[in-house]
Amino acid sequence: KSKDTGKNKFTLFDVTMEEELNRNSLITEVLRHAIANKEIYVMYQPQYNIRKEEMTGFEALMRIHNPKLGELTPQEFIPVAEESGMITELGEWILREACLFNKRLIDCGHDSLSVSVNISSVQLSKANFKDIIQNILEETGLPAANLELEVTESTLVSSLTNASVQLSSLKELGVLISLDDFGTGYSSLNYLTNMPIDTLKMDKSFVNNICSNAKDARIASGIINLAHSMKLEVIAEGVEKVEQLEVLRRNKCDIIQGYIYSKPILPHVLFETLIPASEDTGNDTTEKVYQN
Ligand code: C2E
Ligand code: MG
Ligand code: MG
Ligand code: MG
C-alpha cells in the first residue's frame, strides 16, 4: 500500500515538474523578446526619510506584462532570467531607464534623489560590470552619487568573482551600495564588516511583527543600532502600518519604504507628483511606460 502511495506521489511530482518546465520555457521565450516587444516596464517605489520628513529616493522594480501570460511577478521571472543569462540584458535595460528617469528629475530641480536598482549576482559576476555602469552614467548624464546599487547577501555569496573587489571598484565611480533583504542571509555580519556598503535595508520579515513580537522588536532595534555604529543609513522595508512606523521612529530608523508611504507606482505618476504639470518644460520626453 505504501508503495502505491509513493508511486502516485512520484507521478504527481513529475507532472508538476513538467508543468513548471513548460512554464519556464514559456517565460524564457517572453523574456527573450520583452524589450523589443515593450512588454517590460518599471515601477518606482518612493523611500521616505522619517527624520528629515521628506522623500529621499526611490527603488526601481522590474515588471513584465505579456498579452498571453498576463502579469509576471519578479519572483517567477527573475530566476528564469538569471538561469538563461537574460538578466544581463534586462538588468541593463532597467539601469538605463532608471538613470534616465532620475536625470530628468534632476533637470527639473530634484537633484538629491537617489534611484536604487537591484543587481543580480549574474550581473555582478561579469568582469565588465563596472564599465557597463560607467557607460550608462555617461550616456544618461546621471551623477554617480544619485545611483544606488542594491545587492543581497545571497548575491554576494553566489558571485563568481570576488564580490568585495567588484563592489570596491564600483565605489570608485561614486555610486552608492545598499545591502538588500538584510538579515535573511546566513553570514550578514561578515558582509557588514568586509564590504563597502552605504545603506542597509532591513528585511520586511523583521518589520512585520515589530509591534506584536518583543523579540522581533529587539532584533530590529539591534539592527538599526548596529548599522548606525558602522555609519550606515537604515531603510526599513515593507512598512505597512502606523504602529510599525512609530516603533521604527522611536528606534531612530532613517528611512522607510512600504505601502504606508507608497506602493510601487508608474514613472509618470511619480513624475507628476514631484513636478506638477504647470512646472513641466513641455518637452515630450516622457519615457515609454506600459499602458493597457
Ligand atoms: P526587493 O528588492 O526587496 O524589493 C522590495 C519588494 O517588496 C518589492 O516587491 C515591493 O513591491 C515589495 N514591497 C514594498 N513595500 C511593501 C509593503 O509594504 N508590503 C509588501 N507586502 N510588499 C512590499 P517586487 O516588486 O515584487 O519585487 C520582488 C523582488 O524581485 C525584489 O525584492 C527584488 O529582489 C527582485 N527584483 C525586482 N526588480 C528587479 C530587477 O530589476 N532586477 C533584479 N535583479 N531583481 C529585481
Ligand atoms: Mg538613498
Ligand atoms: Mg531591492
Ligand atoms: Mg528587499
Side-chain angles (χ1 to χ4, degrees):
K1 274 174 282 173
S2 61
K3 223 178 169 183
D4 281 357
T5 319
K7 204 177 171 188
N8 282 339
K9 269 186 189 159
F10 189 73
T11 312
L12 272 176
F13 183 56
D14 231 2
V15 168
T16 315
M17 267 176 50
E18 198 180 317
E19 278 172 0
E20 196 180 306
L21 280 172
N22 284 339
R23 178 145 179 100
N24 282 0
S25 59
L26 277 178
I27 293 176
T28 309
E29 263 324 291
V30 169
L31 294 180
R32 212 182 293 287
H33 305 289
I35 297 175
N37 293 349
K38 298 197 186 341
E39 291 172 5
I40 184 173
Y41 65 105
V42 55
M43 297 272 257
Y44 293 119
Q45 187 176 34
Q47 298 167 335
Y48 184 78
N49 189 308
I50 53 180
R51 296 170 150 220
K52 301 178 186 164
E53 301 207 3
E54 65 184 24
M55 181 183 155
T56 46
F58 51 94
E59 178 173 8
L61 297 161
M62 198 185 288
R63 297 288 182 261
I64 308 268
H65 182 94
N66 175 262
K68 288 201 194 92
L69 296 184
E71 194 72 24
L72 301 176
T73 66
Q75 280 86 350
E76 58 180 337
F77 72 74
I78 295 287
V80 178
E82 287 178 328
E83 270 164 45
S84 60
M86 248 137 22
I87 192 67
T88 308
E89 197 186 337
L90 300 174
E92 270 185 60
W93 179 89
I94 195 166
L95 269 163
R96 191 168 283 110
E97 200 70 15
C99 290
L100 260 181
F101 182 75
N102 203 20
K103 173 67 164 99
R104 248 179 92 215
L105 293 177
I106 289 178
D107 291 345
C108 292
H110 292 269
D111 56 4
S112 60
L113 295 173
S114 66
V115 63
S116 304
V117 182
N118 294 288
I119 303 300
S120 156
S121 62
V122 177
Q123 293 171 279
L124 198 67
S125 299
K126 295 274 164 70
N128 67 346
F129 186 61
K130 182 189 181 181
D131 299 333
I132 291 172
I133 297 292
Q134 189 164 17
N135 286 341
I136 290 175
L137 290 171
E138 278 167 15
E139 264 174 50
T140 61
L142 184 74
N146 294 76
L147 174 63
E148 186 158 72
L149 304 177
E150 294 198 357
V151 295
T152 64
E153 299 158 62
S154 55
T155 302
L156 299 178
V157 178
S158 55
S159 289
L160 296 175
T161 50
N162 188 333
S164 150
V165 171
Q166 184 75 299
L167 291 187
S168 302
S169 97
L170 286 164
K171 284 294 307 171
E172 286 166 13
L173 294 176
V175 300
L176 303 170
I177 309 286
S178 78
L179 191 53
D180 203 355
D181 304 342
F182 182 80
T184 58
Y186 52 84
S187 50
S188 314
L189 298 181
N190 191 19
Y191 289 120
L192 271 195
T193 47
N194 295 316
M195 301 280 174
I197 286 155
D198 303 282
T199 312
L200 188 156
K201 297 189 80 172
M202 179 164 63
D203 192 69
K204 193 163 94 59
S205 57
F206 297 107
V207 176
N208 282 343
N209 302 317
I210 205 171
C211 304
S212 53
N213 184 319
K215 266 189 194 161
D216 282 8
R218 281 197 297 270
I219 291 176
S221 155
I223 290 176
I224 294 167
N225 290 333
L226 176 68
H228 285 163
S229 74
M230 305 196 66
K231 307 271 184 278
L232 307 179
E233 264 195 324
V234 186
I235 302 186
E237 298 191 281
V239 185
E240 294 178 352
K241 302 188 199 106
V242 175
E243 303 84 65
Q244 294 169 333
L245 179 60
E246 290 314 314
V247 176
L248 290 164
R249 234 189 251 282
R250 270 207 301 282
N251 285 290
K252 306 276 188 291
C253 180
D254 306 290
I255 298 167
I256 58 147
Q257 182 182 341
Y259 296 171
I260 191 172
Y261 181 56
S262 173
K263 289 196 167 181
I265 50 180
L266 285 170
H268 77 271
V269 177
L270 178 57
F271 190 86
E272 281 153 23
T273 308
L274 290 168
I275 297 128
S278 56
E279 286 179 35
D280 200 352
T281 53
N283 295 345
D284 192 19
T285 52
T286 316
E287 73 292 344
K288 287 183 185 68
V289 294
Y290 162 75
Q291 271 147 357
N292 250 320

